[in-house]
Amino acid sequence: MKKSFEEALKHRRTYYSITNQSPVSDEEIERIVNLAVTHVPSAFNSQSTRVVLLLGENHKKLWHIVKETLRKIVPPEVFKTTEAKIDNSFASGYGTVLFFEDQSVVKGLQEAFSSYKDNFPGWSLQTSAMHQLAVWTMLEDVGFGASLQHYNPLIDEEVRHTWHLPEEWHLIAEMPFGLPIKILKIWIPGSRYLNKVYLFHRRRGYRFIFGQDLLSSITSLCVQCVMIKSFMKKNGILIRVCMPVLISPHIRAHGHRHAGLWASVLPEKQRV
């Protein structure tokens, strides 16, 4: 881990605004998931947790299943909001981790240790929760943002059918993840409000998307650049503001003005 375990736990947050980019390779993501499955403890060493990692088209397919399942039961006037939430948050990520508990293992333990029969379902959920926290924390440690969703049991049958999973696997939670969109709130001289600046981290730089009242004048834009550079410097990152950019469709869907800046990270030799 890049951070200590304590730092990583403190740093973990829920991110709903994520993009379909990754700061690491797919192999590294698989390594993280496998590490959690292999080393996270379980009651009676049951090892009942099962994890499915969905990337690319499989990730998109899952959230299509969620959306179409909800379309059948959510009133049309309400579904528009539900659809926008799925499309602009969970489905817009890079991947999803599905957490299951193998009920055949739970039932086997209930039969083998009848005195504790009523406790094993609860212990199984505790085991799953530990895996969720471990994966979540490690994903964020390498630069992802994630959240934990619960569309089960509505989607259970379709998920099992789509990915040919055993009937005994009981879906517990879904964890969509992707490169997070961070929001900085900065006061601009002459403005009465805190202004939101959407920060996209890229492998070679950062993209800043300005809220509506930051575009009122070239002067405010220049002031904003200076304040952003100062903010990033305090966080140990030196940048050079390079060029204006158009806002991405993801942010445009949230109704924000279409403008921003691209900032590249300065090479080590230029960090004076």
Side-chain angles (χ1 to χ4, degrees):
M1 296 180 72
K2 296 180 180 179
K3 305 179 183 69
S4 69
F5 183 64
E6 181 179 353
E7 290 172 337
L9 280 177
K10 288 181 179 179
H11 190 264
R12 188 214 54 77
R13 293 290 184 274
T14 292
Y15 286 93
Y16 293 112
S17 297
I18 53 178
T19 68
N20 62 348
Q21 296 180 357
S22 173
V24 297
S25 66
D26 290 353
E27 290 74 19
E28 176 64 11
I29 301 172
E30 291 178 17
R31 187 194 69 81
I32 288 172
V33 173
N34 286 330
L35 184 70
V37 173
T38 303
H39 295 288
V40 170
S42 56
F44 281 69
N45 194 31
S46 63
Q47 301 181 34
S48 55
T49 298
R50 305 289 181 261
V51 178
V52 174
L53 174 62
L54 302 177
L55 300 175
E57 291 303 316
N58 283 311
H59 161 75
K60 295 177 183 177
K61 186 181 296 184
L62 171 74
W63 294 105
H64 177 75
I65 289 172
V66 172
K67 190 164 60 173
E68 294 309 309
T69 299
L70 293 177
R71 191 191 301 273
K72 300 173 184 177
I73 60 176
V74 176
E77 62 275 14
V78 179
F79 182 73
K80 290 183 179 179
T81 302
T82 301
E83 184 176 32
K85 180 180 179 181
I86 293 172
D87 289 342
N88 299 321
S89 183
F90 314 138
S92 64
Y94 187 78
T96 302
V97 183
L98 300 180
F99 295 90
F100 299 83
E101 282 296 301
D102 190 338
Q103 297 307 300
S104 65
V105 174
V106 176
K107 291 178 181 177
L109 288 169
Q110 287 177 312
E111 294 171 359
F113 302 95
S114 57
S115 298
Y116 301 103
K117 182 173 69 173
D118 294 338
N119 292 333
F120 281 112
W123 288 340
S124 170
L125 293 177
Q126 292 171 11
T127 297
S128 180
M130 288 190 286
H131 283 80
Q132 293 164 31
L133 178 60
V135 172
W136 195 344
T137 302
M138 287 191 288
L139 285 176
E140 189 157 328
D141 186 57
V142 297
F144 283 115
S147 66
L148 195 64
Q149 304 305 315
H150 301 88
Y151 287 99
N152 43 296
L154 298 175
I155 63 172
D156 290 24
E157 184 175 348
E158 187 66 25
V159 166
R160 278 195 295 264
H161 174 75
T162 301
W163 286 283
H164 310 290
L165 303 175
E167 284 289 328
E168 294 81 8
W169 288 21
H170 177 60
L171 182 59
I172 304 297
E174 308 86 46
M175 184 179 291
F177 62 90
L179 211 57
I181 302 172
K182 297 182 180 180
I183 301 176
L184 315 177
K185 292 185 178 181
I186 305 176
W187 179 78
I188 297 297
S191 172
R192 294 176 297 169
Y193 308 102
L194 284 173
N195 299 284
K196 290 183 178 180
V197 181
Y198 293 81
L199 169 61
F200 291 77
H201 174 262
R202 300 291 181 89
R203 290 191 180 190
R204 297 179 181 174
Y206 293 83
R207 176 180 289 186
F208 300 92
I209 304 302
F210 301 145
Q212 183 173 351
D213 54 348
L214 298 182
L215 304 175
S216 57
S217 69
I218 295 297
T219 301
S220 67
L221 197 59
C222 292
V223 171
Q224 183 65 15
C225 292
V226 172
M227 297 186 73
I228 285 177
K229 291 178 73 173
S230 175
F231 175 88
M232 299 297 283
K233 186 175 182 180
K234 288 180 180 178
N235 286 271
I237 303 171
L238 299 183
I239 62 172
R240 176 195 289 126
V241 176
C242 299
M243 65 185 77
V245 296
L246 292 177
I247 199 167
S248 73
H250 176 75
I251 293 297
R252 190 159 59 242
H254 288 75
H256 299 292
R257 190 72 70 86
H258 308 179
L261 287 177
W262 169 260
S264 63
V265 178
L266 288 176
E268 291 291 340
K269 61 182 180 181
Q270 296 185 28
R271 298 188 179 191
V272 181

